[in-house]
Amino acid sequence: MSRSGRPRSIAVAVATVIGILATAIGTLLGTASANAALSAPAVSSVASGYGHTCAVRIDKTLWCWGSNYLGELGDGTTTARTTPVRIGDAATWASLDAGTSYTCGIRTDGTLWCWGNNFRGQLGDGTTTNRTSPVRVGTASSWASVSAGDGHTCATRTDGTLWCWGFNRFAQLGIGSDVYTVSAPVQVGTATTWAGVTAGFAHTCAVRTEGTLWCWGNATDGQLGVGDLTYRATPAQVGTATTWSGVTAGYAFTCGVRTEGTLWCWGENGYGQLGVSGTHRTTPVQVGAGTAWTGVRAGFDTACATGTDRSLWCWGNNSTGQLADGTTTHRNAPTRIGAATTWADSYAPGYHVCGSRTDDSLWCWGNNANGQLGDGTTATRPAPAQVGFPA
């Protein structure tokens, strides 16, 4: 998950604007298809930061676009791009995650690479020097997953260990130390049962193989879900449930899904990003009564989730039309994105949102001030438009 400073502070409502969206989508697709220089190859992994987006195509090449002020695109420059540009010559990229203004990716050989903003050591290369091209993180070749936050990064290895690095002012590294920054990976505890991790702005959560959920770091809005507003310097278990299958950290809130298909959120709720009405919550609250959720993604103050029917729903901050409902009205209940039932996933929804479909095509919408939608313009898009790549 990616964050930036504080510019961004899942009860299911049926969208009433499907007809409007269908018209808008048709218009947008017509514009995109008019560009004969672009094609739409399938993607296997996508990551979106505050103002940039990156994707791994099926051929395992890496492409990025959008803001590049701090080198977050990794193309060796600090030049913004409004259409996808290939990053290096490697065709071995496996997965990605984007922080606010940096990006990290794992290759098929298990090595981990990061690039972009490194002011807090979040690139993990032992320095605080910004990088405009991917730099390898340590010498390990057993990285399994990575999550990039605002100023800190966490990752799991194939042996089930968990590692974090970067900014630690709010104990978001989970290492029990008050050290301000750590510029290289440090192991979080001694457990070897970590299955996945998510980094928020100043807090972190992770799921273990037995289905328990753990969080640590800043708790000023209840984002740790442990029932109070006291920060934790080491992982603290969230409740007693052993059915957590996934978790995602937003700016100051967190959402997760359980194996029975229920959806839960907690933390800050100023924009309705918890998918319920009311104020912040310090423990998980169920979003509606449905049991048909397959996955959820949290960004700045917006969240999106996919259903078992392959529908896509978003809620929370809508200031740049990222909920694609034809308005800029914030929503405290999931709002459906069009009528499509072919959505596979969404990616770190913030002021812009991207989602992939079951044919592995990539679609983006919302804020486009930095060209992060990849359509060759900087015009905001009110509905999903397919991303084309250079032929």
Side-chain angles (χ1 to χ4, degrees), residues 74-146:
D75 66 349
T77 77
T78 54
T79 303
R81 312 287 183 175
T82 60
T83 56
V85 59
R86 183 171 176 180
I87 308 305
D89 298 323
T92 56
W93 293 99
S95 62
L96 294 170
D97 197 42
T100 300
S101 51
Y102 72 106
T103 315
C104 293
I106 297 174
R107 292 187 178 176
T108 53
D109 62 359
T111 58
L112 175 60
W113 304 71
C114 294
W115 57 96
N117 184 15
N118 198 28
F119 183 61
R120 301 296 187 184
Q122 59 263 54
L123 301 190
D125 67 346
T127 77
T128 55
T129 302
N130 295 342
R131 305 291 184 175
T132 60
S133 298
V135 59
R136 186 171 175 179
V137 180
T139 60
S141 57
S142 58
W143 295 102
S145 71
V146 62

